[in-house]
Amino acid sequence: MPWIIKYRPKHINDVVNQDEAKQKLINWLKAWEEGKVEKKAILLHGPAGCGKTSLVEAIAKTFKYQLFEMNASDSRRKVDIERIAKAASQTAGIMGRRIILLDEVDGLDPRADAGGVEALIEVIKNTRNPIIMTANNPYQEHLRPLRDVAELVPMKRLSERDVITVLERICKSENLYCEPGALREIAKRSEGDLRSAINDLEAAAALNKKVTLDTVKAVSTYRNRVHAPWEALQKMFNSSYIFQAREAVTSTDLTHDEFITWINEHIPTYYENPEEMWRAYEALSRADIYLGRIVKTQNWDLLSYAIEMMGPGVAFARTAYKYRWKAFKMPEKIKLLAEAKKSREYREALAEVLASRLLTSKAIVKSDVIPYLRVIFTQNPAYAAKIVLGYKLPEELVKWLAGTRAKDVLSYVKKGKK
Ligand SMILES: Nc1ncnc2c1ncn2[C@@H]1O[C@H](COP(=O)(O)OP(=O)(O)O)[C@@H](O)[C@H]1O
Ligand SMILES: [Mg+2]
């Protein structure tokens, strides 16, 4: 049994340094018992490996609740949501009290499953049992509806000291001798993530019955932290060695296609010499060809060539090494995609407002009404202003419809209001 499972806290006292979150949960559960809760759900949030799942499980064990658990980023979500909805809607009976745990709700993918969040909201509205959700980052846009119905309870990133406390406990129970420096090193590298710390300890112990600083250094590489695109570009274009350029390419959470877009836009930023630029584009285009062939043939062996070309190939197109720091800029292509998305949102919002007022469908508004509005808003601002007032359209939408004439329309709106 992996240690991260074996050493899960069994009692809330085993959960280290999360006293505020503990107390809040306990008070809230008590309020539930007395039928006095304001919000029927809690959204417990904090960094990975700080004990979110463990805390809920430990509370259930300590206070003898049955735990109904669903991992929201699971692919079998539809079935699971039904199962959870059923469990949530039943009153506690002979089977005893229950807690519903919706783990990792930030794993819900709004594109793959548009109804996921709505389904959970329904469950929360109708629940007769306390619901606890967890998330690393609850502030993502698609989670807003969940934030509205739940009370947010934060958990802390664990300190090195906390991590060491838990590791020492494990060493004792495994009869493992550890150099103090070794545990400190693991704790430092974990950045408060106990899951990765416990995994590192287990890996070091598997190598050697005595955990030394050297074994720790051998098994626990600093986790490949995800880099922001501009950090990765900076590293890639300035790498001194082939392997650094290669690592930079794989250090972001972008797809290779997306990273190619970033590199593509930045070659002229980093290179001034036309020959260097030409060689860089040559390498990048080869990477693109390899990626295209992978898609066609599913031959993933080609991936290493693609990476070699887009990273080292581009970075070593230079004729001489010179450190180049360049200000980050967002690729035009990605900006355009973002604007297209924004535009879709505006169309959607406008259709929402107008469809009911015009007694027609949103689809008709989008296909037949909006194009006319666009003409009116760009050609006849005075008339456009009347429409704005009549339908109470927000300024944002006016700007979108009128484009460069937005100012004219808005000044007529001002006059009209007077
Ligand atoms: N505060 C804590 N006290 C004790 N053990 C913890 C704590 N936080 C995490 N752990 C341990 O780390 C592992 C991962 O914890 P988990 O609760 O799954 O983290 P999260 O859900 O926040 O990502 C578990 O094995 C657990 O035993
Ligand atoms: Mg968890």
Side-chain angles (χ1 to χ4, degrees), residues 202-260:
E202 187 173 6
L207 266 188
N208 198 335
K209 240 333 185 196
K210 193 171 132 196
V211 178
T212 64
L213 186 58
D214 288 337
T215 37
V216 167
K217 283 188 171 154
V219 295
S220 141
T221 52
Y222 273 97
R223 290 228 152 29
N224 281 329
R225 273 201 298 144
V226 178
H227 284 100
W230 56 93
E231 289 173 308
L233 284 176
Q234 205 68 256
K235 272 177 88 165
M236 192 194 96
F237 279 101
N238 286 303
S239 49
S240 314
Y241 298 101
I242 302 266
F243 80 89
Q244 290 172 328
R246 202 185 285 136
E247 267 177 18
V249 169
T250 50
S251 72
T252 70
D253 53 7
L254 301 175
T255 65
H256 295 304
D257 269 336
E258 286 165 339
F259 200 53
I260 281 190

Side-chain angles (χ1 to χ4, degrees), residues 80-226:
D80 272 351
I81 288 185
E82 280 161 23
R83 181 178 64 87
I84 283 293
K86 197 162 158 238
S89 64
Q90 291 165 348
T91 43
I94 39 171
M95 299 299 285
R97 311 175 297 175
R98 26 179 91 155
I99 294 177
I100 315 283
L101 169 61
L102 305 175
D103 213 3
E104 298 177 14
V105 290
D106 45 357
L108 283 170
D109 180 349
R111 280 161 304 183
D113 181 14
V117 169
E118 281 84 356
L120 292 188
I121 300 272
E122 272 313 296
V123 173
I124 294 170
K125 272 191 194 147
N126 299 319
T127 190
R128 290 169 149 154
N129 299 283
I131 293 184
I132 303 176
M133 300 181 278
T134 74
N136 286 329
N137 173 10
Y139 295 105
Q140 297 170 63
E141 180 53 29
H142 70 282
L143 298 181
R144 188 164 34 84
L146 291 180
R147 290 201 299 276
D148 293 342
V149 294
E151 184 183 337
L152 264 67
V153 174
M155 286 179 72
K156 290 187 280 193
R157 179 183 289 283
L158 295 175
S159 69
E160 273 177 36
R161 188 63 250 162
D162 300 330
V163 172
I164 291 175
T165 305
V166 175
L167 294 182
E168 276 171 347
R169 237 190 248 161
I170 295 177
C171 287
K172 204 163 157 211
S173 120
E174 292 287 323
N175 259 330
L176 200 62
Y177 174 76
C178 274
E179 291 178 1
L183 293 189
R184 226 177 298 129
E185 186 68 17
I186 295 178
K188 193 166 103 207
R189 294 179 183 216
S190 73
E191 297 175 84
D193 177 351
L194 248 177
R195 186 182 295 105
S196 77
I198 294 174
N199 280 333
D200 282 353
L201 180 66
E202 187 173 6
L207 266 188
N208 198 335
K209 240 333 185 196
K210 193 171 132 196
V211 178
T212 64
L213 186 58
D214 288 337
T215 37
V216 167
K217 283 188 171 154
V219 295
S220 141
T221 52
Y222 273 97
R223 290 228 152 29
N224 281 329
R225 273 201 298 144
V226 178

